[in-house]
Amino acid sequence: MRDFVSLLETLDRARGQRARILALADHFARSDPADAAWTVALLLGERPARILDTARLRGLIARSSGLPDWLVELCHAHAGDLAETAALLLPGSGEGLPPLSILIERELLPLARRPLSEREQAVLALWSRARADERFALNKLLTGGWRLGVSRATVVRALALHSGRETWRITERLAGEWRPSAEAFRALIASEEERPDPARPYPFFLASPLPEGPGALGDPSAWLAEWKWDGIRAQLIRRGGTSAIWSRGGERIEERFPELLAALEALPEDAVLDGEIVAWSSDRPDSFAALQRRLQRRRSPRRLSAEIPVRFLAFDLLERSGVDLRSRPLDARRSALAEILHKSSDIVQISHCLDFDQWERLSALRACCRDFGVEGVMLKRKDSPYRSGRVRGDWWKWKIEPYTVDAVLLYAEPGHGRRAGLLTDYTFGVRGEQGQWLPVARAYSGLSEDEIVELDRWLRRHTLKRFGPVRQVEPHFVFELGFEGIAPSTRHRAGLALRFPRILRWRRDLDLAAVSSIDELRALLRH
Amino acid sequence: MRLMEEPLIRRDEAGLYCPLGGFHIDPWRPVPLAVITHAHADHARPGCGEYLAAREGEALLRHRLGREARIRSLEWGETVRLRGVRLSLHPAGHIRGSAQVRIEGAREVWVVTGDFKRASDPTCGAFEPLPCDTLVCEATFALPLYRWPSAESVLAAIRIWVEDCARRGMAAVLYAYSLGKAQRLLAALGGSLDQPVLVHGAIAAINRLYEAEGVALGDWEPLPERRRRGALAGRLILAPPSAAGAWLRALGPAETACASGWMSIRGQRRRRAYDRGFILSDHADWPALLATIAESGARRVLLTHGQGEALARFLSERGLSAETWLTTYEGEGE
Ligand SMILES: [Zn+2]
Ligand SMILES: [Zn+2]
């Protein structure tokens, strides 16, 4: 645990991304691969299950320090952080904790399934074993509230620096559900792909919002346009007998969509398809809310599949019979896609190109996209490769909503009137340069009554800090916000504020990695 | 029927007032007679008719109040009669000349601690525990979160930080209160670094007062006005926290740190945007407050300096009579 603690201290002090990259690379070089693997996982947002809730932890701190409950609570309010409060109040110092991977795998993870009294005993025992300087990190593992100010890009670059591999290769290997282990860490930095996981997805190529009309894109004949479907982005993967469906949030979701899995297995050859899963009713897209009902269930019962049918609208082909096609131009990939889907059932179908030769014609199509149940059009350069991440220039989304952003819920407070007492007033943030969260918008709930109640309950259990009625909550849930524009602001730390923000939807399919960056918003500010 | 005795000290609009003795302690408004615990600005204010203070702190008080102030000094433990009470001053260990005020009436003894600490400090006399009936005690760091590490371990960490800055070609700027904290650091560190410590002008002026009274402050020099580029790499520079901004930028590449009790808490460290925070305080931490209150044997405790509510409740639950008194004392500057 000692190495991990000193890494946290170094990161805490490091100024600038370069310093953080160096500190991390140095740490990876000195650490056992099993421990390094957990460091990577924790930095990427993985958290071992929360073992005790805030109230019980406070109770244990009181018991262990001999202080009354009210005083522990006051100290918590003063320090603002429960993990730190515990670290400062607990007496004495123990002989030290085992290395990170052993602590998590052999002690913390098994503990999560034990009865409460046993968990409490175990936490007390861990506290007395920990050295004073290990307690803060230990408590962070117990409470799950990490905010280390290190972005995914920083971790990737540190791994690249440490291993001498290209950053894209590391990004690719980290895509999907990366599970920490010594083998996984070795594979992450290995020179050759040794037996790659057949179910692994590629990093998604993400479109950027088109800042103004398409006129600036030049000759329309260099561009291809498709509907922007109102569903969730996904990759369908079939490789040598393995089939998988990945959401953009890095989650495997094939059990939720058995009909897509069957259609994928019926394809004439192995392939990796990129597209959108959309709820479908008779001959047109159904609402996103309908799709949410399919997403909420880990396994989709047959009844639900029949009630809410879905389709996969494929718009790209990343791999065909084991050959990576991503560096080929888009129109070549699309012809290959059409060949593969030629005989496919309707359940997996191609997302057709829109027919236009002038921007005016496309603009007119976009204007009536509500009639087609879609949310705008996508514009893709015909010769573009399939890049990774959000790279501006080749792929644009031109939505009916003027602008949207995927933001994380950071603060919540109770509303007034009919919803008094429920947390309905939310503050959302995006990712800053250092990986920190920057608040950019406040919006009242645009959620359904059920969602509000569910979210309220979750927020109360995951409050990190309270400032009067305002709760700072664990950054966890991602929401899609619509807004009219962006204005510079000196009152916001981000230096800008969204104009007329509103909640479009609760994106349970996205995790924190999908949250937009401040740079994406700044790019809009310039226009 | 026994008449209620008037309390030896009460809080009035000017500060802590002793009606039987006709004087105030550390008043925040001008009064005829002010007993001063120490020369920090929030305790020693100008404009009073006459001042009574410890001999050890006289020069510092004079520096604060100016040439015209009428200051009468007492040796440690020397007793004077002020109308109906007997008064004496005793070391508080906070900064040089910092005093506790002991007041003895017909039936009771009261002690006002002023600012105090129990950790050792080479620049001033050690805190003297005094038995009393009522203790008026400071409560700057009165939460159990505040437990100071040993001064030796903090000084060692500061030395390592300076060496680390030297390796990276940076100056090491340490912000510390210019009266007290800075001299404590110099006395403890000055001899153990390769080169003399450089100090900001505000600190140099006070250093000279200390040295004139024979307090050894180790090797230090005023920060030179003109210097070559990079001349400050690896040098420890002491400055008051007010000297940030343009002054700091003119130093060239530098890391900043602060030595204060507030640095115990991560959030406070981060908010203040120093590169490093060292936990070094001239005030009592939670264990020292509890120990001092217990040693005094006081049945009644009055807490000043703002953060007293938690301690008052804690003491009340343990059978003492305790309450807080609102004061304008500011606690520890950073
Ligand atoms: Zn003071
Ligand atoms: Zn004070």
Side-chain angles (χ1 to χ4, degrees):
Chain A
M1 186 77 166
R2 196 173 297 205
D3 288 341
F4 184 63
V5 168
S6 73
L7 172 71
L8 292 186
E9 282 167 8
T10 314
L11 288 176
D12 196 28
R13 279 179 212 145
R15 287 279 169 98
Q17 197 197 21
R18 184 78 200 146
R20 277 187 279 271
I21 290 172
L22 290 174
L24 275 170
D26 182 51
H27 176 79
F28 294 140
R30 282 184 291 109
S31 303
D32 180 81
D35 298 328
W38 271 106
T39 304
V40 170
L42 292 170
L43 292 172
L44 294 183
E46 173 94 10
R47 48 185 71 186
R50 197 181 171 100
I51 287 166
L52 292 174
D53 63 25
T54 304
R56 290 200 195 281
L57 268 174
R58 276 211 295 242
L60 280 194
I61 297 169
R63 215 156 107 192
S64 167
S65 63
L67 296 169
D69 289 322
W70 63 264
L71 188 50
V72 172
E73 199 166 323
L74 208 70
C75 287
H76 181 192
H78 184 78
D81 180 291
L82 188 60
E84 184 175 19
T85 304
L88 291 171
L89 292 184
L90 298 171
S93 183
E95 76 280 8
L97 292 172
L100 187 64
S101 58
I102 294 180
L103 177 69
I104 293 175
E105 290 169 16
R106 304 226 185 116
E107 306 205 36
L108 301 187
L109 294 180
L111 205 53
R113 295 186 298 272
R114 309 302 305 163
L116 177 64
S117 62
E118 220 172 290
R119 297 204 301 271
E120 290 191 331
Q121 284 309 321
V123 168
L124 287 173
L126 282 166
W127 278 345
S128 67
R129 282 161 56 204
R131 292 186 330 176
D133 62 351
E134 290 173 336
R135 280 201 198 116
F136 178 67
L138 169 65
N139 293 335
K140 281 291 182 194
L141 290 173
L142 294 173
T143 57
W146 289 97
R147 234 214 259 162
L148 296 169
V150 176
S151 68
R152 194 179 183 91
T154 302
V155 178
V156 167
R157 287 174 60 184
L159 286 164
L161 180 66
H162 163 58
S163 62
R165 312 282 158 248
E166 303 89 337
T167 49
W168 63 263
R169 194 182 285 279
I170 305 274
T171 307
E172 214 169 285
R173 289 172 180 176
L174 276 175
E177 213 167 359
W178 192 79
R179 296 215 175 280
S181 69
E183 298 72 55
F185 186 78
R186 285 195 201 98
L188 189 59
I189 58 170
S191 52
E192 287 306 319
E193 205 82 43
E194 317 153 4
R195 289 198 304 119
D197 177 1
R200 78 193 178 285
Y202 289 106
F204 284 88
F205 181 16
L206 305 174
S208 305
L210 189 66
E212 49 199 315
L217 298 180
D219 182 3
S221 68
W223 294 84
L224 169 160
E226 310 156 351
W227 289 129
K228 173 148 190 9
W229 301 101
D230 196 7
I232 63 159
R233 184 83 179 271
Q235 267 179 45
L236 266 49
I237 291 163
R238 200 186 95 186
R239 284 191 191 103
T242 301
S243 298
I245 303 179
W246 289 90
S247 76
R248 203 185 115 201
E251 208 184 344
R252 280 185 73 161
I253 52 174
E254 60 267 15
E255 289 185 345
R256 292 175 173 81
F257 301 106
E259 67 269 55
L260 296 183
L261 203 58
L264 174 64
E265 279 160 5
L267 292 182
E269 55 187 305
D270 278 1
V272 176
L273 311 178
D274 185 8
E276 192 101 352
I277 300 174
V278 181
W280 206 262
S281 89
S282 55
D283 61 343
R284 53 174 282 144
D286 200 347
S287 71
F288 188 80
L291 183 63
Q292 289 278 30
R293 293 184 49 210
R294 290 287 301 265
L295 282 167
Q296 278 161 25
R297 307 287 291 262
R298 184 157 281 284
R299 274 168 212 279
S300 186
R302 189 160 298 168
R303 178 180 46 74
L304 196 58
S305 309
E307 192 186 329
I308 308 166
V310 298
R311 299 227 162 150
F312 182 76
L313 283 310
F315 47 66
D316 216 319
L317 181 66
L318 313 188
E319 189 182 295
R320 181 178 190 179
S321 292
V323 181
D324 182 351
L325 303 181
R326 292 176 299 158
S327 55
R328 314 254 174 99
L330 173 63
D331 45 9
R333 296 199 306 274
R334 285 212 54 135
S335 336
L337 179 66
E339 281 171 37
I340 286 188
L341 296 184
H342 179 60
K343 286 201 189 117
S344 168
S345 68
D346 280 349
I347 291 178
V348 173
Q349 58 174 278
I350 198 159
S351 170
H352 288 289
C353 294
L354 300 175
D355 186 20
F356 75 105
D357 47 10
Q358 289 171 329
W359 293 126
E360 290 71 31
R361 165 81 183 132
L362 186 65
S363 190
L365 277 171
R366 172 176 168 272
C368 52
C369 70
R370 288 277 183 246
D371 302 335
F372 296 94
V374 296
E375 53 174 354
V377 298
M378 301 293 299
L379 279 162
K380 299 176 178 174
R381 197 186 286 279
K382 285 179 181 166
D383 60 1
S384 60
Y386 190 91
R387 302 179 191 276
S388 92
R390 203 183 295 276
V391 184
R392 288 165 68 83
D394 285 342
W395 283 23
W396 300 101
K397 49 186 175 190
W398 190 25
K399 292 200 197 179
I400 277 288
E401 278 296 337
Y403 301 105
T404 63
V405 61
D406 294 325
V408 61
L409 204 172
L410 298 175
Y411 301 91
E413 58 188 291
H416 301 284
R418 197 162 55 85
R419 285 163 172 172
L422 283 174
L423 300 167
T424 53
D425 221 359
Y426 312 123
T427 300
F428 297 93
V430 297
R431 202 181 282 282
E433 287 98 340
Q434 318 285 349
Q436 80 280 29
W437 300 117
L438 294 173
V440 290
R442 236 180 109 176
Y444 306 96
S445 182
L447 302 172
S448 74
E449 216 59 40
D450 285 351
E451 285 176 321
I452 290 175
V453 171
E454 181 192 349
L455 191 56
D456 176 88
R457 204 172 309 131
W458 187 93
L459 293 170
R460 287 177 198 279
R461 274 184 289 116
H462 294 82
T463 298
L464 300 175
K465 248 192 244 184
R466 297 181 64 161
F467 311 90
V470 182
R471 288 161 182 264
Q472 182 184 353
V473 300
E474 267 177 48
H476 180 70
F477 283 124
V478 181
F479 290 79
E480 186 177 333
L481 307 182
F483 56 100
E484 302 296 328
I486 290 192
S489 160
T490 48
R491 283 192 306 118
H492 289 73
R493 243 190 309 149
L496 52 81
L498 306 189
R499 294 178 51 236
F500 305 112
R502 59 200 173 277
I503 298 173
L504 297 181
R505 59 188 54 132
W506 184 351
R507 297 298 302 257
R508 292 176 200 258
D509 57 315
L510 298 183
D511 71 356
L512 293 183
V515 173
S516 307
S517 74
I518 188 69
D519 284 339
E520 290 166 44
L521 292 178
R522 284 198 189 122
L524 294 176
L525 192 56
R526 265 173 245 127
H527 291 278
Chain B
M1 197 183 88
R2 201 176 134 235
L3 278 176
M4 269 283 270
E5 191 179 2
E6 188 169 21
L8 277 180
I9 300 172
R10 63 168 195 248
R11 193 193 159 285
D12 71 6
E13 67 289 344
L16 309 183
Y17 180 57
C18 175
L20 277 177
F23 61 88
H24 284 80
I25 299 171
D26 293 352
W28 46 83
R29 289 198 199 154
V31 296
L33 177 57
V35 177
I36 299 297
T37 62
H38 67 291
H40 275 151
D42 54 330
H43 290 260
R45 295 175 197 251
C48 295
E50 193 185 0
Y51 294 90
L52 190 61
R55 169 89 61 217
E56 190 186 278
E58 188 181 343
L60 297 173
L61 195 59
R62 170 82 51 211
H63 179 74
R64 168 83 62 208
L65 298 175
R67 205 183 285 275
E68 283 73 36
R70 286 178 55 207
I71 301 176
R72 183 178 155 202
S73 2
L74 293 180
E75 298 298 338
W76 292 130
E78 180 186 348
T79 304
V80 286
R81 174 162 284 280
L82 293 171
R83 296 203 210 151
V85 300
R86 288 154 57 84
L87 178 145
S88 55
L89 300 177
H90 306 263
H94 171 58
I95 62 166
R96 183 161 176 78
S98 65
Q100 305 176 72
V101 185
R102 182 181 184 276
I103 302 162
E104 192 178 332
R107 293 201 182 87
E108 287 198 318
V109 173
W110 287 44
V111 169
V112 178
T113 65
D115 293 353
F116 75 97
K117 72 167 173 284
R118 304 297 300 262
S120 80
D121 179 340
T123 64
C124 63
F127 178 92
E128 182 186 334
L130 299 168
C132 60
D133 300 294
T134 296
L135 185 70
V136 182
C137 182
E138 69 135 317
T140 306
F141 291 105
L143 281 174
L145 294 168
Y146 296 104
R147 291 186 291 176
W148 309 147
S150 75
E152 295 70 50
S153 69
V154 176
L155 293 165
I158 293 175
R159 276 186 222 108
I160 292 170
W161 169 62
V162 175
E163 285 164 20
D164 189 48
C165 286
R167 264 195 297 281
R168 286 176 293 124
M170 315 271 269
V173 178
L174 180 57
Y175 292 116
Y177 213 64
S178 52
L179 168 53
K181 184 76 62 64
Q183 291 72 33
R184 181 183 179 196
L185 280 165
L186 284 169
L189 275 177
S192 67
L193 296 170
D194 296 341
Q195 303 179 74
V197 179
L198 300 175
V199 311
H200 184 276
I203 294 174
I206 293 171
N207 284 356
R208 293 190 187 97
L209 297 174
Y210 271 66
E211 289 183 332
E213 299 197 336
V215 180
L217 295 182
D219 269 349
W220 65 272
E221 290 168 2
L223 181 68
E225 290 282 330
R226 294 174 186 203
R227 45 202 182 239
R228 284 177 297 106
R229 263 184 80 80
L232 299 178
R235 300 298 294 267
L236 175 62
I237 302 171
L238 286 189
S242 52
W247 177 85
L248 177 64
R249 280 192 295 278
L251 297 180
E255 267 198 16
T256 58
C258 174
S260 159
W262 299 118
M263 295 296 119
S264 302
I265 293 183
R266 206 174 137 95
Q268 289 167 350
R269 247 176 2 241
R270 297 200 135 187
R271 242 193 319 285
R272 286 163 168 87
Y274 301 116
D275 294 313
R276 300 289 294 270
F278 297 106
I279 306 168
L280 190 74
S281 176
D282 287 330
H283 290 264
D285 61 0
W286 174 264
L289 287 168
L290 295 186
T292 303
I293 290 164
E295 280 172 55
S296 74
R299 286 165 289 122
R300 182 157 183 248
V301 181
L302 301 167
L303 299 162
T304 64
H305 280 77
Q307 288 208 26
E309 287 82 5
L311 180 55
R313 179 168 169 194
F314 187 83
L315 295 172
S316 303
E317 288 180 359
R318 276 150 192 76
L320 291 180
S321 154
E323 60 188 272
T324 53
W325 267 1
L326 212 60
T327 57
T328 63
Y329 310 138
E330 284 161 9
E332 183 158 83
E334 308 121 44

